[in-house]
């Protein structure tokens, strides 16, 4: 399995894709916890096997989400969700799945999605659970967050459209709007973080607030991620809203 994990990571890094390490999570479930979620044909997963993959994909897509284990009040809903999405399973179908098993799977899916992400981005190493040697390139240099430059900030009917000069590696943008150019704490009327990939790629976004007025000031702060942690850049030069 390390061979496949290594090449999956290298390929995802090369093409700029995300990678859901379902195999790593499943290996841990099977090897360290004794859970065999394959059907008798040894090819198709039982419902909880599918749940391992689905949970890993979820935390790969929503990598910023925090782990929140299931509670008893959610048990019935999760059971129904699993059984309504069984693609092929001759064994392992249950009316109610042990909550302990559901939370074990969810926890491991979260663990491996978080562990693999930096390696996929070329910013670290990942050691496959099935092997004891690093399976990716050496750790990359720390990425520095760029200082953004605002091109325009135009207000129309309480909608503020902002364009800025494009920059690389940005994961999010902090936005501040204030009455005064000094951005004294009492003068700040609006703050928000832009995480939309589309907005970052286009270098343009729109925010709305009833507090917006012309002649106020706006400034931006980009941030990047290094090994899953935010690294903030310097604030842009304040621009007057027109």
């Amino acid at each position: 399995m390390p061979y496949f994990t290594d090449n999956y990571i290298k390929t995802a890094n090369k093409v700029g894709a995300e990678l859901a390490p379902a195999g790593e999570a499943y290996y841990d479930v099977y090897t360290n916890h004794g859970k065999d979620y394959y059907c008798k044909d040894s090819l198709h997963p039982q419902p909880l096997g599918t749940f391992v993959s689905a949970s890993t994909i979820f935390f790969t897509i929503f990598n910023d989400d925090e782990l929140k284990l299931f509670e008893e009040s959610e048990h019935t809903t999760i059971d129904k969700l699993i059984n309504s999405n069984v693609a092929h399973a001759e064994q392992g179908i249950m009316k109610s799945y042990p909550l302990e098993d559901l939370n074990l799977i969810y926890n491991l899916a979260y663990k491996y999605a978080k562990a693999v992400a930096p390696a996929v981005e070329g910013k670290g190493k990942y050691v496959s659970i099935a092997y004891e040697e690093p399976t990716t390139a050496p750790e990359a240099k720390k990425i520095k967050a760029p200082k953004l430059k605002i091109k325009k900030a135009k207000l129309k009917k309480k909608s503020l459209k902002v364009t800025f000069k494009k920059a690389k590696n940005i994961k999010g943008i902090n936005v501040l709007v204030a009455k005064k150019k000094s951005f004294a704490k009492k003068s700040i009327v609006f703050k928000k973080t832009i995480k939309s990939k589309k907005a970052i790629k286009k270098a343009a976004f729109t925010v709305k607030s009833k507090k917006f007025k012309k002649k106020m000031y706006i400034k931006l702060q980009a941030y990047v991620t290094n090994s899953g942690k935010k690294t903030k850049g310097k604030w842009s030069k304040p621009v007057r809203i027109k």
Side-chain angles (χ1 to χ4, degrees):
M1 192 175 79
Y3 170 81
F4 292 106
T5 300
D6 180 43
N7 284 283
Y8 288 152
I9 290 173
K10 288 179 180 178
T11 302
N13 177 266
K14 185 177 180 179
V15 301
E18 292 181 314
L19 175 65
E24 297 291 299
Y26 196 98
Y27 186 93
D28 197 335
V29 170
Y30 180 82
T31 305
N32 296 329
H33 300 277
K35 308 291 183 181
D36 187 354
Y37 294 140
Y38 276 115
C39 291
K40 289 181 181 179
D41 63 6
S42 297
L43 295 173
H44 295 92
Q46 295 180 18
L48 288 185
T50 301
F51 187 61
V52 174
S53 297
S55 299
T56 312
I57 291 169
F58 174 84
F59 282 117
T60 299
I61 296 172
F62 301 102
N63 199 259
D64 290 334
D65 280 21
E66 294 183 2
L67 176 64
K68 180 181 180 294
L69 297 180
F70 302 119
E71 298 178 358
E72 190 61 48
S73 59
E74 303 168 305
H75 199 170
T76 301
T77 302
I78 300 302
D79 288 334
K80 289 181 179 178
L81 181 65
I82 292 172
N83 283 337
S84 67
N85 287 278
V86 175
H88 175 100
E90 296 176 354
Q91 296 86 37
I93 300 176
M94 302 171 66
K95 185 176 180 180
S96 181
Y97 301 93
L99 190 63
E100 182 180 350
D101 289 356
L102 297 177
N103 279 327
L104 169 65
I105 291 169
Y106 214 52
N107 186 40
L108 292 176
Y110 176 84
K111 173 184 175 181
Y112 289 104
K114 286 285 187 182
V116 167
V120 171
E121 294 177 5
K123 302 172 186 175
K125 300 175 183 178
Y126 175 72
V127 179
S128 173
I129 186 174
Y131 202 47
E132 295 182 355
E133 292 184 7
T135 58
T136 59
E139 197 168 332
K141 292 182 180 180
K142 190 175 180 180
I143 298 174
K144 186 178 180 181
K147 181 179 179 180
L148 297 179
K149 182 178 180 180
I150 300 172
K151 290 183 176 180
K152 288 183 181 180
K154 193 171 183 180
L155 183 63
K156 186 177 181 181
K157 294 182 179 179
K158 303 303 177 183
S159 291
L160 179 59
K161 184 175 182 180
V162 182
T163 57
F164 56 94
K165 188 177 179 180
K166 289 185 178 182
K168 295 181 179 180
N169 302 316
I170 297 174
K171 294 296 183 182
I173 301 170
N174 295 322
V175 183
L176 281 185
V177 177
K179 296 176 182 178
K180 296 182 178 181
K181 193 175 182 180
S182 64
F183 281 83
K185 192 172 181 180
K186 290 183 178 180
S187 73
I188 295 172
V189 298
F190 180 86
K191 57 173 66 176
K192 186 174 182 177
T193 299
I194 306 296
K195 296 181 180 180
S196 166
K197 291 182 180 179
K198 185 177 180 181
I200 293 170
K201 186 176 181 180
K202 287 189 172 184
F205 61 85
T206 300
V207 287
K208 296 181 180 181
S209 175
K210 293 180 180 179
K211 296 180 180 180
F212 288 157
K213 292 181 181 179
K214 290 186 177 182
K215 296 184 180 181
M216 285 186 173
Y217 292 88
I218 181 172
K219 65 179 181 179
L220 308 177
Q221 179 191 51
Y223 69 80
V224 298
T225 55
N226 286 290
S227 299
K229 295 182 179 180
K230 290 183 180 179
T231 301
K232 297 178 181 179
K234 293 182 179 180
W235 285 98
S236 68
K237 183 179 179 181
V239 169
R240 201 170 193 181
I241 296 172
K242 295 181 179 180

